[in-house]
Amino acid sequence: MLNSEELQIRFLELYEPIHTQFYRYCEVMVKNNEMAKDLQSDVILAAYESFGKLRNPESFKFYLFGIARNIFRKNLKRNKVQTKYEMSKHEQQHDDSVSMEMNVDIRLLYDKLDMLPVKQKEALILFEISGFSLKEIKDIQGGSLSGVKLRLKRGRQKLKVLLSDPILEL
């Protein structure tokens, strides 16, 4: 059994390589920097508190994203997380390497993603934005590999319609 210092070092060794990917996932799910930081903090705390029970360190990424998914859904059910994009509450990000038009396009994409069913939205975020493989998404979301493929296909189709329909644009 590891002592608390060794446990903390091991946790950080596993977390550090996926930190950016994990934060991006949280940010896209809640669309607000502060709420993303809150979700990330809640997940890290929950993951660290039960880290000693993790049997297979190779499954840490799935363990972490699974906790994030569960906390996000729990918060949705309790209405603590606002899933509707609100311009006044959104903290504008200024990235000098990205044009203003690109920032608008990204915001529009996130808004349209929000219109998808939760499982389709989550699958698209995990695959297209976070770079997870189909098998990894299956491990995080549960279900079958064909179910993940179907969620991705249907999500892409719905997103294409949402993005191409001028009536639905903001």
Side-chain angles (χ1 to χ4, degrees), residues 132-149:
F132 281 89
S133 71
L134 295 174
K135 184 187 178 318
E136 291 172 327
I137 296 169
K138 178 186 88 64
D139 292 341
I140 291 170
Q141 287 191 319
S144 66
L145 195 56
S146 62
V148 171
K149 291 176 185 178

Side-chain angles (χ1 to χ4, degrees), residues 24 27-29 31-33 85 87 90-114 125 129 159 163 170:
R24 192 174 331 138
E27 188 175 36
V28 173
M29 289 301 286
K31 286 185 230 23
N32 177 298
N33 286 339
Y85 178 82
M87 184 71 112
H90 182 74
E91 184 179 310
Q92 187 75 309
Q93 291 185 10
H94 298 285
D95 186 351
D96 295 334
S97 65
V98 178
S99 69
M100 177 94 68
E101 293 84 16
M102 182 64 86
N103 281 330
V104 170
D105 289 344
I106 290 170
R107 217 170 339 147
L108 179 64
L109 173 65
Y110 288 178
D111 287 343
K112 300 300 180 177
L113 273 171
D114 229 9
I125 291 169
I129 296 174
L159 192 58
L163 289 170
L170 298 174

Side-chain angles (χ1 to χ4, degrees), residues 111-165:
D111 287 343
K112 300 300 180 177
L113 273 171
D114 229 9
M115 295 177 175
L116 297 175
V118 174
K119 279 200 158 205
Q120 289 176 6
K121 171 187 169 183
E122 186 179 59
L124 282 170
I125 291 169
L126 288 169
F127 188 77
E128 301 292 349
I129 296 174
S130 297
F132 281 89
S133 71
L134 295 174
K135 184 187 178 318
E136 291 172 327
I137 296 169
K138 178 186 88 64
D139 292 341
I140 291 170
Q141 287 191 319
S144 66
L145 195 56
S146 62
V148 171
K149 291 176 185 178
L150 191 59
R151 284 191 289 276
L152 286 170
K153 179 182 176 186
R154 288 180 179 167
R156 286 180 185 128
Q157 289 171 341
K158 287 179 184 177
L159 192 58
K160 182 179 178 182
V161 169
L162 289 170
L163 289 170
S164 65
D165 191 348

Side-chain angles (χ1 to χ4, degrees), residues 9-128:
I9 290 169
R10 184 67 183 136
F11 183 86
L12 291 173
E13 285 173 350
L14 293 171
Y15 176 73
E16 188 61 34
I18 61 171
H19 168 74
T20 303
Q21 183 181 37
F22 179 65
Y23 180 74
R24 192 174 331 138
Y25 171 79
C26 292
E27 188 175 36
V28 173
M29 289 301 286
V30 297
K31 286 185 230 23
N32 177 298
N33 286 339
E34 294 305 314
M35 291 173 72
K37 289 175 186 175
D38 288 344
L39 176 60
Q40 183 183 29
S41 297
D42 291 346
V43 172
I44 290 171
L45 178 63
Y48 182 72
E49 286 177 345
S50 60
F51 183 64
K53 299 174 187 173
L54 183 66
R55 293 185 182 129
N56 186 1
E58 288 80 38
S59 63
F60 179 76
K61 184 172 19 175
F62 309 115
Y63 170 72
L64 193 68
F65 279 79
I67 292 172
R69 178 176 176 254
N70 291 340
I71 289 176
F72 175 75
R73 286 186 174 178
K74 185 170 127 183
N75 287 342
L76 274 179
K77 288 180 182 173
R78 291 183 179 172
N79 294 324
K80 288 185 179 178
V81 176
Q82 295 177 357
T83 57
K84 184 106 174 121
Y85 178 82
E86 294 181 26
M87 184 71 112
S88 62
K89 292 185 180 179
H90 182 74
E91 184 179 310
Q92 187 75 309
Q93 291 185 10
H94 298 285
D95 186 351
D96 295 334
S97 65
V98 178
S99 69
M100 177 94 68
E101 293 84 16
M102 182 64 86
N103 281 330
V104 170
D105 289 344
I106 290 170
R107 217 170 339 147
L108 179 64
L109 173 65
Y110 288 178
D111 287 343
K112 300 300 180 177
L113 273 171
D114 229 9
M115 295 177 175
L116 297 175
V118 174
K119 279 200 158 205
Q120 289 176 6
K121 171 187 169 183
E122 186 179 59
L124 282 170
I125 291 169
L126 288 169
F127 188 77
E128 301 292 349

